Amino acid sequence: MFINSIFKNFDNLGIKYCHWKSNHFIKESFESRQDFDLLVAKLDRNAFQNILLDHGFKRRISTPDKPYPTMEDFIGMDPNKGTLFHFHVHYALVLGRKYDKNYRIPIETEVFNSVIRHQEYPINIIAPEYELMLLIIRIFLKSKIKLAFIRKNQTFVRKRIFPKNIAEEFQDLNNRVDQEKFTTLITYIFPAAVSSFKILLEYFTNTINVYKFLKQRRILIHELRAHRIQIGEKHKIQKNMRQISIPNSMSGFESGGCTIAVIGVDGSGKTTMVDKVDKWLSWKLSVKHLYLGRVKRHEERHGRKYKNHVLQIINRLRLLFKKLQFRNGVTLMINLQWLYYAYTRYKKFIRGRRLANEGYIVFFERFPLLEFHNMKEPMDGPRLNPDTFLGKIENNLYNKIDLPEVVIILDVSFDNVINRRQGQSEDVRNMLRNKIDAVTKLKSMDNDYYIINTEDGVENTLLELKNVIWNNV
C-alpha cells in the first residue's frame, strides 16, 4: 500500500515520530477520512520531509488563521487509488483552542522514549498514559463553557459540552492505560491533571456540577501559565489577527494556485468529473468551480435564487419587438444576449484568475477554447459577425480570455454520447457529431492539452483525471 510504504521508510531511516492523538480513530486516517497527527523529532525534520516529497507529497500553506510555529501540513495522493492523505506534522506539543494554540507542553523527549507500535497498523503511536494526559489538557483548554453548556440544576447536559467522539476516545484510553503508571506520570508532570482526570471521569459517567468544572479548569490553566508561548498584548494581537483572517481563510500549495479547464462535448461526463474532483480536493484545499456556460435568467447562489435582471430586460424587449413585428429590434436583442454571454464569461475568467493568484485551484467548465471559435456554432465561443460593431466587441472580450494553465480534454465517441443521451433529434445529433469532430481534431494538433479517454468507465476516467490534476497543481 502507498501509505504503508511511507511509514516503512520512516522505520528504515530510524526517524523518531509517533501519532500522538486520536489513536482510537487511526483506522480512519489510513482510510483517508481523517488527518495523521504526527509528532516528529526536530533533528529528523529534513529526512522526514524528504521521504514525503519523494512520495509526491506537497507542502500546504494557509492564511494566517491556520498555521502555527512548529507545525506543517503535507498533502499526498495515492496514484493507484486517487485518495488524498493529510499529514499534520508537529515538531513540538503545542495545544490550545482551534484559533488560539498558545501552550507548549515540553515532554517530547519523554513521549519519544515511551513510543509503542500499533497492533493493527504499521505506525508508531504515543503511549496511552501520555495520550490520556494530553487529552485531559486539550479538553479543558478547548471547552467553550459560555456557549456550549445548558445550565439545569447547576449541571452540564453531557451531549452539549464536548464533541461526540471525545467521550469514546476518553473511555478507550481510560480502559487501556496502566492506572498506577498513569497516576504517577501526571502527578510528576502536571499535578493538577490528577483532579482533572477525576472530574472528567465523573462527567463521562454522569453529569457534573458546572462550578466544579470551571474551578478545575482555572486550576489547570494556572498551572500551565509557565508554558504559554505568548502573553499580554502580543498574544491578544496574534489572536485577533487569526480571528480577522477566518472569513478569508484559504489553503493551497507553495507553488501557488492553478487554473484548469475541463473540455468535453455534452454527454462526455465533464460536469460529473468536475464535481467529483472539486469534492476530492476541497477536503483539504481551497477550490473554486466556475461555470462559463450561458447564464440563466434565474440563478441559485448560496442556496438562494436570484434573478438575472439584464437577461430579463433583454428577453422582455425581444418579446415586445416580436409583438410589434420589429425584426431589427428582435435581432438586436438576440445579439445583445450573445454579447452579454461573452461579457459574463470574461468576468468569470477574471475572477478565476484572481482566485488562482490567491492560491485557489480553479476549475473552468465550458471554457471558450480558441480552437473551437471557427466552428459554425462554436462551443461556448463567439457567435456574432466579427465585422459588425457588436461582433468586434464580442471578439475583443473572448480574445482577452487567456488559456488556463492546464487544459484537459475528455474524449468520447459519438456512439457512446448517443447511448448516454438517447431520444435526441437529428439536428441535435448532427450538432453533437460536429462537436466530437472538433474535439478529435485537437488530438492531432501541436498543443500541451491532456487527452483523457472516457470509454474505460467512470472510475478509470476519474483516476486518470486526478493524476493529471495532481501532477500539475
Side-chain angles (χ1 to χ4, degrees), residues 40-71:
V40 179
K42 289 184 179 180
L43 293 177
D44 293 331
R45 178 174 179 264
N46 291 335
F48 176 85
Q49 292 182 0
N50 288 337
I51 291 175
L52 292 185
L53 296 176
D54 289 343
H55 281 78
F57 274 69
K58 304 173 189 288
R59 184 182 280 104
R60 189 185 76 168
I61 60 173
S62 304
T63 42
D65 58 301
K66 293 179 180 177
Y68 289 89
T70 73
M71 295 184 194

Side-chain angles (χ1 to χ4, degrees), residues 223-405:
E223 187 159 339
L224 291 172
R225 284 171 64 87
H227 300 291
R228 289 179 297 176
I229 298 173
Q230 295 176 331
I231 60 174
E233 289 299 319
K234 188 176 181 180
H235 175 227
K236 289 181 181 179
I237 293 171
Q238 188 72 25
K239 184 179 178 180
N240 290 335
M241 286 177 61
R242 293 185 184 279
Q243 294 292 334
I244 292 171
S245 300
I246 293 173
N248 298 312
S249 180
M250 189 281 300
S251 297
F253 291 128
E254 284 183 317
S255 57
C258 183
T259 52
I260 303 171
V262 180
I263 309 294
V265 302
D266 301 335
S268 62
K270 61 181 179 298
T271 300
T272 301
M273 291 294 110
V274 173
D275 287 342
K276 286 181 178 293
V277 294
D278 184 343
K279 183 179 179 181
W280 167 65
L281 288 174
S282 295
W283 180 49
K284 290 298 175 182
L285 298 166
S286 296
V287 181
K288 191 65 179 179
H289 176 190
L290 294 177
Y291 179 76
L292 269 61
R294 302 179 193 176
V295 292
K296 300 177 182 179
R297 277 177 282 175
H298 293 86
E299 292 183 320
E300 188 170 329
R301 298 194 300 271
H302 308 298
R304 297 178 62 183
K305 289 186 176 181
Y306 293 87
K307 294 181 180 179
N308 190 310
H309 297 292
V310 175
L311 282 183
Q312 284 193 332
I313 292 172
I314 291 174
N315 188 58
R316 287 175 182 175
L317 288 174
R318 182 180 63 82
L319 293 175
L320 176 62
F321 291 147
K322 185 177 181 181
K323 187 176 181 180
L324 296 174
Q325 297 184 347
F326 181 33
R327 293 183 179 179
N328 290 339
V330 173
T331 302
L332 176 62
M333 291 303 107
I334 293 174
N335 291 344
L336 285 176
Q337 183 170 305
W338 286 116
L339 183 61
Y340 182 67
Y341 290 154
Y343 173 76
T344 55
R345 283 170 177 150
Y346 171 70
K347 295 296 289 185
K348 287 181 180 179
F349 164 75
I350 293 298
R351 183 189 175 199
R353 187 171 64 182
R354 186 178 297 115
L355 288 171
N357 290 336
E358 292 178 13
Y360 279 73
I361 297 174
V362 180
F363 288 101
F364 291 124
E365 185 184 351
R366 302 290 296 269
F367 185 85
L369 206 60
L370 180 64
E371 286 84 347
F372 297 150
H373 288 187
N374 293 326
M375 294 173 61
K376 185 178 180 180
E377 291 186 3
M379 286 196 292
D380 309 306
R383 292 294 188 94
L384 303 180
N385 186 342
D387 296 327
T388 63
F389 176 71
L390 294 181
K392 290 179 180 179
I393 297 175
E394 183 192 43
N395 264 311
N396 186 46
L397 288 171
Y398 279 110
N399 289 334
K400 289 181 180 179
I401 300 178
D402 298 327
L403 196 66
E405 297 168 71

Side-chain angles (χ1 to χ4, degrees), residues 263 265 372 375 379 409-414 432-445 447 451:
I263 309 294
V265 302
F372 297 150
M375 294 173 61
M379 286 196 292
I409 309 296
L410 299 182
D411 188 23
V412 62
S413 67
F414 177 74
L432 290 172
R433 189 184 296 276
N434 291 334
K435 290 183 177 181
I436 291 172
D437 290 341
V439 171
T440 303
K441 289 180 181 179
L442 289 176
K443 295 189 290 185
S444 60
M445 293 181 180
N447 53 51
I451 310 296

Side-chain angles (χ1 to χ4, degrees), residues 132-278:
L132 181 56
M133 181 186 68
L134 292 172
L135 177 63
I136 292 171
I137 297 173
R138 288 168 51 215
I139 288 175
F140 276 92
L141 289 179
K142 286 190 173 186
S143 59
K144 297 181 179 180
I145 305 304
K146 292 182 180 179
L147 299 177
F149 81 93
I150 298 176
R151 185 177 180 183
K152 186 177 181 181
N153 299 323
Q154 295 185 347
T155 61
F156 285 138
V157 176
R158 179 168 52 182
K159 66 180 181 180
R160 293 297 299 274
I161 302 179
F162 308 120
K164 291 182 292 186
N165 60 328
I166 291 294
E168 185 179 343
E169 187 176 348
F170 182 88
Q171 295 290 6
D172 173 67
L173 285 170
N174 187 40
N175 293 333
R176 289 196 293 119
V177 299
D178 182 322
Q179 293 295 340
E180 183 178 350
K181 183 179 178 181
F182 173 69
T183 303
T184 304
L185 173 68
I186 59 176
T187 303
Y188 174 71
I189 299 179
F190 289 112
V194 178
S195 52
S196 301
F197 171 76
K198 295 177 180 178
I199 290 288
L200 290 179
L201 189 61
E202 179 184 347
Y203 166 72
F204 286 124
T205 55
N206 203 342
T207 55
I208 182 175
N209 184 281
V210 58
Y211 300 110
K212 194 175 181 181
F213 185 91
L214 289 171
K215 179 181 178 181
Q216 188 56 46
R217 188 178 72 165
R218 187 167 62 251
I219 293 172
L220 185 62
I221 290 177
H222 179 78
E223 187 159 339
L224 291 172
R225 284 171 64 87
H227 300 291
R228 289 179 297 176
I229 298 173
Q230 295 176 331
I231 60 174
E233 289 299 319
K234 188 176 181 180
H235 175 227
K236 289 181 181 179
I237 293 171
Q238 188 72 25
K239 184 179 178 180
N240 290 335
M241 286 177 61
R242 293 185 184 279
Q243 294 292 334
I244 292 171
S245 300
I246 293 173
N248 298 312
S249 180
M250 189 281 300
S251 297
F253 291 128
E254 284 183 317
S255 57
C258 183
T259 52
I260 303 171
V262 180
I263 309 294
V265 302
D266 301 335
S268 62
K270 61 181 179 298
T271 300
T272 301
M273 291 294 110
V274 173
D275 287 342
K276 286 181 178 293
V277 294
D278 184 343

